[in-house]
Structures are given as structure tokens and as C-alpha cells.
Amino acid sequence: MEKFCWAALGAAKGIGAAHMMALVRVFGSAQNAYEAEEADLLATGILSPKAVAAFVQSRKQQERFPEKLREQCERLHIDVIPIVSDAYPERLKRILQPPLVLYVKGTLPDFRYSIGMVGSRMADAYGLKVAGYFSSELAKAGVVIVSGGAKGIDTASHKGALQAGGKTVAVLGCGVDITYPPGNRTMFARIAEQGALISEYPPGTEPLPFRFPERNRIISGLSQGVVLVEAAVRSGALITAEFAMDEGRDLFCIPGNIFSDKSAGPHKLIRDGARIALAPDDVLEELFPELAGSIHSNLFACMEDRAPLRVCSEQQRKLLDLLTQGPQTLEQLVTATGWSVAETSVLLLELQMKGFVQTDAAQRYVQS
């Protein structure tokens, strides 16, 4: 029951982990601290009278919280890991505001080699490809890929690690029993098999907007360094990058298209002194030199193997050049080239068959 009392303490609003741990030290156990009388809590001087009153009131409103939580977690096969447990990641304990407990579905990996991969939910084809490539290669080298389970860069990062047979961890902004976004249900099941779903929130907690910025500190806290793939200047991914810098983590940024607002965040941070990453080995050599060299492929070799210059006509290469500026509609390409709709459509179909072009969800053309 002790770990569920830790969870009950962690569910108290407005009281940080440091104060709760101080209470546990005074009362001798989490259960004693959770069940303490209001007068005894006040007598410690650890919490303000207002905080004590709020804690006691929430305890009354959540009657039998530890017992109910234990029943729920056992039914859903969710583990609860308090901050005092040896299983709690050591690196995460050292951040400014560590979660008092972690809810885990799956098995926590060894975070000795771990990288946070973050970026835009509205990533373009370039960002998705880069995130998947970096994650896959780093996972092959034995690095745990930590991300947030969201659409876009997060999903591409998790899938890259899974496809490489590596380990990945998704830090969620809701309970680990909640599938959000719904389209990632199958992926989350695989993550639980090859790594873990993690949350600081009890089962059943809904994915409200404010919880996603809160969970970003955990992504950074679990990671030796963070790789930012794509992000606008104002985005949640930049919050993770800021946590990384504040906590002394190494921050790597992958450059992108200078005409795309999705590259503005990484480019700003590069300009301000963040490390630039052009290949996965750049990350390994800086953080885990003992793993460097274990990646035999590189992005440039991958690109050369499919180099369109050798297999595409001059007209097809012109279309590919236009697509380096970002997703384009058929009408935009027709206007830019001056060719007919029929001619442009045929050229695009040929490029799709060669694997150099694909369409996105908005039916725009993008480079594969």
C-alpha cells in the first residue's frame, strides 16, 4: 500500500515533491504522512496553513484514494514507481520538479543511454523522415528514444525506434490507460512491449492542454540530451528544449528549410549556440563516444543511393527543386513551371512511382 500512498501524495495539487518528501521523512512513511491529522501536518511547519487545508480537503473528496488506485492499477497492469524506489530513473530525480511517482505501462529501460526526440505535431515530410531516420539509427546503436507520443515528430521518432527493434519510451500528458491521439493505439501497444508508456498522472486522467507542457520536463529529465527536429518559434517542443538547457542537458538541433516556419525554432537555437546535428553520429560522438562508429550508414549515403539527379529527367528535377521549398499543390506547381496540368500530373506520377514524391494529408505534393 505504501507506493499507492506515495501516489496519493503526488496527486495533491499545489504541493511540490520536495515538500511531500519532507513530510514523509517526518512521519516515517508515505502512508503515515497521507493519513496524518491536520494539526500534526501544521505542526511540522513544512506546509503553509493554506496548503494543509487544501490537502486535507482533497483527501476528503478522494475517499479511499490509495485503495481505489491499487485496484485500478492492478486491473490495468500499471505499475506505480515512487521517487524513493530504486526503479525510479536516477537522472529524473535530479531535475528541479521531479514527479513524486511515475505510472508505467511496460518496462522501464536502462536510461544510461537515452535521447529525447521532440518537434512539431504538424511536421512536414522532411521532418518526419529525419526524425524516423535519427531515431532508428540511434536505437540500433543502443540508445533509448524518449518522446511524447503525440502526432508528427513524436510518432515518427517512436516508430523509427520500434522498426529498428530498439527501445522507446512515450511520456504522456494523460493517464497511461488513455490512448491520445487515438490513432496511435497500435503504436502505444508496441511501445509497451519494447519499452514503456510513462505518466505522472493517475489512470483515467484526460489529456487536457496544460498537461502537455508539464510532461515536457520529464522527457528532458529522462534524457542525456535532446534532439529538436522541427518547431515553430512558439511551440511546445521549444518548451522541452528550454527544460533541457535549464537542466544542463545537451541540446541538438537539426537544420531545415529556411523558408519553412517549422525550421524557425531549430535555426534560432542554432544561432544562439545550440549544437547542430547533421547525422546521428554527431549525437553519439558528443554524448556517447563509446557507441560512436556503431552506425555504419549515414544520411548522405542514404540520399546518394536514391539520388534523383541520376535517374530523373530535367523536368522532373525542376519539380523536385520546387518541392524543396515545402509542400506544393498541383496548381502551385503548374503556375511555377508554366506547364499544363496534364503534363505536370504525368511528371508527378512518374516521380511518385520512383519513390521521390508523395502526397500529404492535404493532398499536396512533398518530397519523400
Side-chain angles (χ1 to χ4, degrees):
M1 183 58 67
E2 180 71 2
K3 67 181 180 181
F4 297 102
C5 288
W6 274 104
L9 292 173
K13 303 298 182 185
I15 305 176
H19 287 105
M20 285 302 188
M21 291 178 71
L23 285 177
V24 172
R25 284 194 294 270
V26 168
F27 289 102
S29 73
Q31 184 167 355
N32 288 342
Y34 180 72
E35 296 174 351
E37 297 292 335
E38 184 171 0
D40 293 331
L41 290 168
L42 283 169
T44 67
I46 294 171
L47 301 178
S48 69
K50 183 178 180 180
V52 170
F55 174 64
V56 172
Q57 181 62 27
S58 68
R59 191 172 59 186
K60 290 178 180 177
Q61 292 173 344
Q62 297 179 321
E63 188 179 1
R64 295 186 63 249
F65 181 88
E67 293 87 350
K68 292 176 181 177
L69 180 64
R70 180 176 65 180
E71 294 167 3
Q72 188 179 29
C73 288
E74 288 177 351
R75 175 169 47 84
L76 296 171
H77 305 290
I78 295 169
D79 195 9
V80 176
I81 302 177
I83 194 169
V84 294
S85 169
D86 291 340
Y88 192 103
E90 191 63 34
R91 187 180 289 132
L92 185 60
K93 291 180 182 180
R94 299 194 294 268
I95 69 172
L96 186 60
Q97 294 180 316
L100 206 60
V101 298
L102 294 176
Y103 296 90
V104 178
K105 195 169 184 62
T107 304
L108 286 183
D110 182 350
F111 288 100
R112 178 177 44 169
Y113 301 122
S114 56
I115 287 291
M117 294 286 298
V118 298
S120 173
R121 284 177 170 81
M122 305 300 292
D124 58 26
Y126 165 79
L128 297 176
K129 183 175 181 179
V130 168
Y133 171 73
F134 265 66
S135 296
S136 176
E137 295 301 302
L138 290 170
K140 288 176 187 176
V143 176
V144 176
I145 302 302
V146 184
S147 197
K151 292 180 180 179
I153 296 300
D154 289 8
T155 293
S157 299
H158 291 306
K159 286 184 175 179
L162 292 170
Q163 289 166 3
K167 295 187 180 298
T168 186
V169 167
V171 182
L172 306 182
C174 56
V176 295
D177 60 322
I178 304 291
T179 301
Y180 184 82
N184 278 353
R185 183 176 300 277
T186 300
M187 185 185 80
F188 282 177
R190 290 191 61 195
I191 290 175
E193 293 174 358
Q194 289 182 225
L197 303 172
I198 296 178
S199 179
E200 65 180 311
Y201 306 113
T205 303
E206 293 297 326
L208 300 179
F210 72 89
R211 295 194 170 111
F212 293 93
E214 286 183 352
R215 69 90 152 87
N216 289 342
R217 78 189 194 286
I218 303 177
I219 297 175
S220 168
L222 290 170
S223 307
Q224 179 68 23
V226 170
V227 176
L228 180 64
V229 181
E230 281 188 332
V233 171
R234 298 180 184 276
S235 70
L238 284 194
I239 296 175
T240 312
E242 289 166 1
F243 276 124
M245 292 185 289
D246 290 344
E247 299 290 349
R249 304 296 194 261
D250 290 281
L251 176 63
F252 299 85
C253 294
I254 297 176
N257 185 343
I258 64 171
F259 297 106
S260 171
D261 61 347
K262 296 181 179 67
S263 300
H267 291 171
K268 178 183 182 298
L269 292 173
I270 290 170
R271 185 188 62 199
D272 293 344
R275 291 176 172 84
I276 188 170
L278 300 178
D281 249 341
D282 292 340
V283 178
L284 293 182
E285 289 170 2
E286 183 67 32
L287 296 183
F288 315 120
E290 62 272 34
L291 301 181
S294 59
I295 298 176
H296 302 296
S297 62
N298 63 69
L299 186 59
F300 303 107
C302 176
M303 291 169 63
E304 288 168 2
D305 288 343
R306 303 174 66 246
L309 292 178
R310 292 197 292 269
V311 294
C312 292
S313 67
E314 184 177 344
Q315 287 177 304
Q316 290 170 337
R317 291 199 297 271
K318 183 171 182 178
L319 287 174
L320 290 172
D321 286 340
L322 290 169
L323 292 176
T324 61
Q325 300 173 22
Q328 306 275 327
T329 64
L330 175 61
E331 291 75 13
Q332 288 173 317
L333 292 170
V334 167
T335 300
T337 59
W339 303 332
S340 69
V341 171
E343 183 180 15
T344 307
S345 297
V346 169
L347 290 167
L348 288 167
L349 178 60
E350 292 171 347
L351 287 169
Q352 286 179 287
M353 293 176 66
K354 291 177 180 179
F356 297 134
V357 168
Q358 61 186 17
T359 55
D360 62 14
Q363 295 303 304
R364 297 174 301 178
Y365 292 93
V366 296
Q367 282 198 15
S368 300

